[in-house]
Amino acid sequence: MSGMAGDIQFLLWLLLLSNSSSCFGSELDIQCLKTIQQSVIDPKGILKSSWIFDNGTEGFICQFTGVECWHPGENMVFSLDLDSLGLEGQFPQGLENCTSMRVLDLSTNNFSGPIPSDIARKVPDLASLDLSYNSFSSEIPVGISNMVHLNILNLQHNQLSGQIPGQFNVFTQLTQLIVAYNQLSGRIPSALQMFPPSYFAGNQGLCGAPLDDCPRKRKWRRIRVRLPRINDESSIGAAAGFVAGFVVAFYFPHWFIFSRSLHPYIFRIC
Ligand SMILES: *[C@@H]1O[C@H](CO)[C@@H](O)[C@H](O)[C@H]1NC(C)=O
Ligand SMILES: *[C@@H]1O[C@H](CO)[C@@H](O)[C@H](O)[C@H]1NC(C)=O
Ligand SMILES: *[C@@H]1O[C@H](CO)[C@@H](O)[C@H](O)[C@H]1NC(C)=O
């Protein structure tokens, strides 16, 4: 038994090794960070001073502020943690080339503009995405639901609007989805109702479990307002029609058949 476990362990180790060495991440990962550095506004100069690319030593990017590699001696980004650096501008570019990245944290900066609609193509393998405490606006892209490895998605304290995509219902592996303090509206997808209400707080238009029920639709109101009026008119009309019809039909059955003026009342009664 232990021999077999050892074999499996060895096999996994071999797989990991072959996987990492066959990724050829280095050049792409360096390109990824260069493009990010160029595309974000960095008023405090933190990335400018820390991300110096003229050192070709394998693993040199692993010393950069916010960069964590899979292995310290290999230029392959595992996580990018750029929180609280005073960064501004749009969602960073170049992330496509950080092909081994699993964790992206851009929280507590001043990023603005939309979350890219093709985010699932740019960073398909993320397990954790934290964009909280920025100024991201527009809608939550439906494509986020194609990030099938995503466990943690934190979007709280932005200016996101629109509905939470119904496609979140296919997100069985999400263990955390925080969208509090945005401008979201509409019904919370049913698959997300197991999360605590605090994850959805501060969105005036959001409704449904775990928050309060959604308000009844306008249609109901219209019917309730109009019903009494219909009742008043039709009940008087129907009563008059019934009496008149009864008298006419009883005493003058031939009128009943031919008189057009009685037809509206007959229809009302029926
Ligand atoms: C290059 O980076 C490595 C690892 O961070 C460091 O030890 C070395 O001193 C650097 N070399 C130069 C020339 O900056
Ligand atoms: C990814 O890296 C390649 C090679 O360096 C480069 O040509 C390409 O423009 C990069 N893609 C992005 C989105 O930056
Ligand atoms: C974000 O940017 C606005 C102006 O664009 C500025 O007033 C504000 O102080 C910035 N916030 C942070 C946390 O850097």
Side-chain angles (χ1 to χ4, degrees):
M1 283 303 273
S2 67
M4 202 167 124
D7 282 353
I8 289 170
Q9 211 169 25
F10 177 72
L11 210 71
L12 283 175
W13 183 76
L14 208 72
L15 268 174
L16 267 174
L17 202 74
S18 65
N19 189 32
S20 59
S21 58
S22 69
C23 269
F24 301 108
S26 294
E27 275 313 308
L28 288 180
D29 284 55
I30 293 167
Q31 186 60 43
C32 164
L33 297 184
K34 278 183 180 171
T35 311
I36 292 170
Q37 190 190 45
Q38 286 160 11
S39 72
V40 305
I41 302 167
D42 179 18
K44 296 181 180 169
I46 293 172
L47 299 189
K48 270 181 214 88
S49 61
S50 162
W51 292 14
I52 310 289
F53 290 96
D54 55 8
N55 178 344
T57 316
E58 185 61 24
F60 77 103
I61 64 170
C62 308
Q63 310 297 318
F64 288 6
T65 295
V67 176
E68 193 189 327
C69 294
W70 283 90
H71 311 287
E74 195 177 5
N75 290 334
M76 191 182 293
V77 177
F78 167 73
S79 94
L80 198 52
D81 184 358
L82 303 180
D83 81 285
S84 311
L85 298 181
L87 302 175
E88 297 173 14
Q90 304 261 315
F91 190 89
Q93 291 172 22
L95 291 165
E96 290 95 320
N97 278 334
C98 283
T99 52
S100 307
M101 186 170 62
R102 298 291 179 270
V103 177
L104 177 60
D105 183 353
L106 302 178
S107 67
T108 321
N109 285 291
N110 227 351
F111 286 112
S112 55
I115 301 170
S117 58
D118 60 348
I119 188 164
R121 186 184 59 77
K122 291 179 192 287
V123 282
D125 297 323
L126 283 188
S128 172
L129 176 61
D130 190 345
L131 304 178
S132 64
Y133 294 89
N134 279 286
S135 299
F136 286 112
S137 57
S138 194
E139 303 200 345
I140 299 173
V142 171
I144 281 192
S145 61
N146 295 326
M147 299 168 67
V148 292
H149 305 295
L150 203 58
N151 290 137
I152 296 173
L153 177 57
N154 192 345
L155 302 175
Q156 69 177 312
H157 288 271
N158 278 285
Q159 282 147 37
L160 299 167
S161 56
Q163 306 205 350
I164 301 176
Q167 283 79 355
F168 273 82
N169 277 329
V170 303
F171 254 142
T172 48
Q173 77 288 358
L174 265 186
T175 55
Q176 215 182 59
L177 170 87
I178 311 182
V179 296
Y181 297 95
N182 280 283
Q183 284 135 37
L184 297 168
S185 59
R187 188 180 290 278
I188 296 169
S190 55
L192 309 177
Q193 64 187 21
M194 76 277 200
F195 294 126
S198 61
Y199 286 14
F200 303 96
N203 290 281
Q204 285 223 315
L206 272 189
C207 62
L211 301 181
D212 291 342
D213 286 349
C214 294
R216 290 182 173 200
K217 288 188 180 144
R218 237 190 277 148
K219 262 187 192 170
W220 277 103
R221 281 207 164 161
R222 213 179 281 154
I223 288 168
R224 275 170 58 188
V225 167
R226 285 184 61 179
L227 265 175
R229 274 174 53 202
I230 293 167
N231 273 348
D232 287 352
E233 281 170 18
S234 64
S235 58
I236 292 167
F242 181 77
V243 171
F246 184 80
V247 169
V248 170
F250 192 81
Y251 290 103
F252 312 98
H254 52 289
W255 279 22
F256 186 81
I257 294 157
F258 295 112
S259 171
R260 274 167 194 248
S261 65
L262 283 175
H263 283 184
Y265 294 110
I266 293 163
F267 283 120
R268 284 280 174 94
I269 293 162
C270 298

